[in-house]
Amino acid sequence: MSTGNGADSAPARISDTTVTTTRKSTFASLRVRNYRLFFTGAIVSNTGTWMARITQDWLVLSLTGSAAAVGITTALQFLPMLLFALYGGVIADRYPKRRLLLLSQGALGLCGLALAVLTLSGHVQVWHVYLIAFLLGMVTVVDNPARQSFVSEMVGPAQLRNAVSLNSANFQSARLVGPAAAGLLIASVGSGWAFLVNGLSFLAPVAALLMMRTSELHRAERAPRGKGQLREGLRYVAGRPELIWPIALVGFVGTFGFNFPIWLTAFADGVFHVGPGAYGFLNTLMAVGSLVGALLSARRGTSRLRTLVGAAVAFGVLEIAAALSPAFWLFALLLVPIGMLGLTVNVTANSSVQMATDPVMRGRVMSLYMMVFVGGTPLGAPLVGWITDTYGARVGFAAGGAVSLAAAVLIGLVLARVGGLRLRVDLRRGHPHVRFVPREQLATAA
């Protein structure tokens, strides 16, 4: 373990099931000028990204009439993350992250503009959407680990957890505006204008990166060029239960439980028979829950693995409940806590993994994290899309929730065993009825 910044974020023992930081105010990281610029630029591009996501899914559904085609589009966008994410992490550890982000954010903007031109000209075909989705995925292979690990360079280890939570709040705030704006644009002037706004929105993060004071960045040690760096990163994670099991859990949840583009389009179009405006409304409700989850995470001073497991269990249960909802209003209301719990899973896992990782390895570890969290989508999305098309939207949604629930329970039991914990049941009034306690405490109570 390095004695640099990573020493300040070294993990606690698994038996503690927590990584602790000093308690901060909700918006503490925004006091840092460089991060404030980054945050401002990101909220503009994130709004455009959400507009493009909603518009892309609706466009594919309009061109093909198939939920499976929406799944294929999603899979193509995340396939590069599955295939090449670890190489992206090596690049992020080797080169200046600010320079990498300038290139990647510019490339993402160009992809958005290309899709806008095709759509506005009336020449767009589904294979065009497939191709651009794949190109977007190739860019994010480098953009994701560079962006995730650049946060620590802007704010330092003391405020890392707060900044990670605010990044998620930023993304979810944009999700409040983006889907609604996309629905209005699709209904009034067509899909192409939403894609155009997305492409232009990337000017904001590029400008923010150019305006940063590089002298105020917390310089992280860069990995030298050399052989075996991929294997080194994998060995690093494999030997640390506090890294590998949270990553495994978000992998299952991300692959099977986060296929909302497929489910929400299918529920809006095939179950409740509502239009693109209502589809955007459903996404906005999820964003409200996610934003609440992000702000609550920003206030917490700890990243507890028990919080991660508990949130994942509740997330799976509520997805199953939403799948069985008989009425549109009940389905819509359940999306709020689903969004909150899904965000809690992501932020808790992300921050605990980052704070438990040595800075020189952070790019590779976060690339592995993103590979299993979003890179599993090419495997899960077509399968979930096929289940949804074949057996209906309710079965597809319930299946995703069931897998998330099963993974959370199993990995929770594994973490408890690794940490020397046992399940304790106490039926007395005023006591927690079910909880994990150290084996020694259980033996004393007996």
Side-chain angles (χ1 to χ4, degrees):
M1 179 67 70
S2 169
T3 57
N5 291 342
D8 296 326
S9 55
R13 301 185 309 275
I14 287 295
S15 58
D16 294 332
T17 63
T18 180
V19 178
T20 305
T21 62
T22 304
R23 190 173 184 84
K24 299 288 183 181
S25 67
T26 302
F27 303 102
S29 300
L30 291 178
R31 298 180 187 133
V32 179
R33 179 183 181 274
N34 283 342
Y35 181 72
R36 192 163 59 246
L37 286 169
F38 178 86
F39 186 93
T40 304
I43 200 166
V44 176
S45 65
N46 284 338
T47 301
T49 297
W50 273 113
M51 291 178 65
R53 285 189 179 188
I54 301 304
T55 307
Q56 174 185 276
D57 296 337
W58 198 262
L59 175 63
V60 170
L61 191 66
S62 301
L63 292 172
T64 65
S66 169
V70 177
I72 291 170
T73 307
T74 305
L76 286 170
Q77 188 162 341
F78 294 112
L79 181 63
M81 187 65 66
L82 178 64
L83 299 178
F84 308 116
L86 294 177
Y87 294 97
V90 170
I91 293 171
D93 280 338
R94 283 182 182 175
Y95 298 101
K97 296 174 183 62
R98 177 173 165 272
R99 191 178 305 165
L100 288 175
L101 288 172
L102 282 168
L103 295 173
S104 63
Q105 294 291 298
L108 291 171
L110 290 175
C111 287
L113 293 175
L115 190 54
V117 170
L118 286 168
T119 307
L120 289 170
S121 66
H123 293 99
V124 69
Q125 299 178 36
V126 70
W127 72 266
H128 292 141
V129 185
Y130 288 165
L131 176 61
I132 292 175
F134 182 77
L135 292 176
L136 285 168
M138 289 298 295
V139 176
T140 57
V141 164
V142 175
D143 182 79
N144 257 325
R147 183 161 35 85
Q148 296 279 342
S149 52
F150 187 55
V151 174
S152 65
E153 293 190 19
M154 288 185 286
V155 303
Q159 301 196 65
L160 177 59
R161 190 189 196 285
N162 180 263
V164 169
S165 298
L166 288 183
N167 279 352
S168 296
N170 184 318
F171 192 66
Q172 301 307 327
S173 298
R175 191 176 179 182
L176 289 171
V177 179
L184 290 173
L185 285 175
I186 294 169
S188 58
V189 294
S191 301
W193 293 99
F195 292 132
L196 180 62
V197 171
N198 173 52
L200 295 176
S201 72
F202 283 93
L203 292 173
V206 168
L209 289 164
L210 290 172
M211 293 169 63
M212 286 184 181
R213 296 171 183 163
T214 56
S215 61
E216 296 178 5
L217 293 174
H218 297 253
R219 295 293 184 184
E221 181 184 354
R222 294 210 298 267
R225 296 180 64 89
K227 295 181 179 180
Q229 290 180 327
L230 276 179
R231 291 191 298 273
E232 182 185 8
L234 292 173
R235 285 196 300 268
Y236 180 86
V237 173
R240 290 165 172 78
E242 71 276 8
L243 297 179
I244 192 168
W245 290 115
I247 289 174
L249 178 54
V250 298
F252 279 104
V253 173
T255 299
F256 298 101
F258 271 65
N259 289 287
F260 298 110
I262 299 171
W263 294 323
L264 296 188
T265 51
F267 268 86
D269 188 54
V271 177
F272 298 118
H273 307 292
V274 293
Y279 171 59
F281 174 66
L282 292 177
N283 280 275
T284 300
L285 286 176
M286 280 204 67
V288 170
S290 299
L291 179 59
V292 171
L295 293 176
L296 289 175
S297 295
R299 289 190 62 83
R300 282 197 295 267
T302 58
S303 294
R304 294 181 178 274
L305 297 184
R306 69 188 72 179
T307 301
L308 171 63
V309 172
V313 168
F315 175 80
V317 170
L318 286 182
E319 284 201 331
I320 296 171
L324 302 176
S325 299
F328 175 80
W329 65 267
L330 180 58
F331 177 82
L333 287 177
L334 283 172
L335 293 180
V336 176
I338 287 173
M340 184 178 70
L341 290 165
L343 197 283
T344 301
V345 170
N346 187 14
V347 168
T348 305
N350 186 310
S351 57
S352 64
V353 167
Q354 286 213 52
M355 289 188 290
T357 302
D358 194 52
V360 75
M361 301 294 297
R362 193 166 281 146
R364 278 164 284 182
V365 172
M366 292 313 297
S367 68
L368 178 62
Y369 176 93
M370 296 305 297
M371 182 183 77
V372 300
F373 182 50
V374 299
T377 302
L379 303 177
L383 176 60
V384 168
W386 175 80
I387 293 173
T388 301
D389 275 346
T390 305
Y391 300 103
R394 295 188 185 278
V395 175
F397 202 0
V403 172
S404 300
L405 174 60
V409 171
L410 291 174
I411 290 176
L413 292 173
V414 169
L415 284 170
R417 183 177 180 84
V418 170
L421 303 175
R422 290 287 179 88
L423 186 67
R424 179 174 181 175
V425 178
D426 189 341
L427 300 179
R428 292 176 295 171
R429 178 177 295 182
H431 293 263
H433 294 320
V434 180
R435 59 177 176 150
F436 285 104
V437 299
R439 287 192 179 97
E440 297 83 359
Q441 182 178 334
L442 191 66
T444 302

